Amino acid sequence: QVQLVETGGGSVEPGGSLTLSCKRSGSAFSWCAGWFRQATGKEREGVAAIDSDGKTYYADSLQGRFTISLDNAANTLYLQITNLKPEDTAMYYCAADDTGLGLAAVRAGGVRSTVQKFGYWGQGTQVTVSS
């Protein structure tokens, strides 16, 4: 049974940094893994993804402050966020694509609108940015 558990969220001031972690159990990450976020009152959106070859994909407006990485030995996905802004406040979710559909969607149209193509989800970790 696949389980994804996110940690690392918290409350930070603007300009601060956080590293989110997502530990997978049950099996290894395969085709693609990604980070998504959902702010209050908004739809869930893709932030970043990484495929099994280590190629990374980022939502256009977020490239530069977000870094996704995958430690295959630890079966753990990471998202480093720097220069945090109040608009980054959201619940951040880890997701896994074990069918290839998520990766195909990311490659075709970018990561932002691929929520429906990822089959496994964690419970989320809250990031709040305020002064």
Side-chain angles (χ1 to χ4, degrees):
Q1 181 178 355
V2 175
Q3 188 175 15
L4 302 173
V5 179
E6 303 98 332
T7 57
S11 295
V12 296
E13 293 185 349
S17 300
L18 280 175
T19 298
L20 309 182
S21 300
C22 172
K23 174 69 174 178
R24 175 170 175 155
S25 58
S27 60
F29 286 106
S30 56
W31 284 93
C32 186
W35 286 98
F36 296 74
R37 68 183 184 182
Q38 187 167 17
T40 302
K42 295 188 177 181
E43 292 186 355
R44 193 172 300 188
E45 63 177 5
V47 172
I50 185 167
D51 66 21
S52 58
D53 292 327
K55 183 176 174 60
T56 58
Y57 308 82
Y58 296 94
D60 290 342
S61 62
L62 302 178
Q63 197 155 7
R65 298 191 298 116
F66 291 73
T67 304
I68 189 171
S69 60
L70 178 62
D71 183 338
N72 286 303
N75 217 19
T76 301
L77 183 71
Y78 299 97
L79 183 70
Q80 182 180 25
I81 315 172
T82 60
N83 191 22
L84 278 154
K85 303 177 179 182
E87 53 263 40
D88 295 320
T89 294
M91 185 72 80
Y92 283 72
Y93 298 90
C94 165
D97 165 37
D98 287 6
T99 65
L101 294 177
L103 180 57
V106 168
R107 287 174 171 170
V111 69
R112 187 176 292 274
S113 301
T114 57
V115 172
Q116 301 301 325
K117 303 300 184 181
F118 282 73
Y120 296 105
W121 291 85
Q123 293 301 306
T125 185
Q126 177 69 35
V127 172
T128 302
V129 185
S130 69
S131 54

